[in-house]
Amino acid sequence: MAILQILEFPDPRLRKIAIPVSVFDARLEVLIADMLETMYEAQGIGLAATQVNVHKRLMVLDVSENKDSPQVFINPSFEVIDEDLFDYDEGCLSVPGFYETVSRPQTIHARAQDYQGQEFELTAEGILSICVQHEIDHLNGKLFVDYLSTLKRQRIRAKLEKEHKKTA
Ligand code: GNR
Ligand code: NI
């Protein structure tokens, strides 16, 4: 297994739109294992392939307390069940150090395939709902900072660019 490098805002590669996964093979299983290892090592609750510069529609997450319930979503989609908005302080491994409140639909019904291509669906609310929506946004080139004011987003961009210059 391997720890993969996580792209950071404002890297333009985070804006790419991922393409559907069509081949469910051993290479895909290696990518999933590496993404899970990378997510756990970074202490994230989710990770989209876009964040590790793989532009395929695939994401992993684990919202459990004990970090013992990995979930893999391939070619995910969702529909909104309860449009009432739920406010949550979001962070992102691609926007390290920044947390801001984002409002998203409370309850969704998600569909995806597992690592073998088997379809499954689930209804999600709370943190799972937020995380699934946040990860699917990544696959569409979208980041949580896009929901903030331009001023807030530009401040975050400036601070991260400064950090990147220091460590480049
Ligand atoms: O680790 C993460 N925590 C988090 C907190 C609130 C809302 C969303 C998230 S997802 C984030 C990991 C990540 O960047 N996934 O793309
Ligand atoms: Ni993220």
Side-chain angles (χ1 to χ4, degrees), residues 36-55:
L36 281 167
E37 191 182 15
T38 302
M39 176 187 77
Y40 286 125
E41 200 257 351
Q43 294 181 38
I45 58 171
L47 186 72
T50 305
Q51 293 176 277
V52 293
N53 200 28
V54 175
H55 302 284

Side-chain angles (χ1 to χ4, degrees), residues 43-48 51 88-94 99 127 130-131 134-135 138:
Q43 294 181 38
I45 58 171
L47 186 72
Q51 293 176 277
Y88 199 81
D89 252 8
E90 294 202 19
C92 181
L93 296 172
S94 296
Y99 296 85
I127 182 70
I130 300 303
C131 191
H134 175 116
E135 302 314 335
H138 276 301

Side-chain angles (χ1 to χ4, degrees), residues 59 61 63 71 73 76-86 104-112 120-136:
M59 65 206 217
L61 54 95
V63 297
Q71 289 178 281
F73 287 67
S77 64
F78 73 91
E79 55 190 80
V80 174
I81 298 286
D82 182 349
E83 293 184 16
D84 283 1
L85 296 176
F86 184 74
R104 299 185 189 264
Q106 176 124 15
T107 311
I108 61 169
H109 189 78
R111 272 171 217 285
F120 65 93
E121 44 191 285
L122 72 142
T123 300
E125 55 182 10
I127 182 70
L128 180 60
S129 171
I130 300 303
C131 191
V132 167
Q133 293 179 62
H134 175 116
E135 302 314 335
I136 291 177

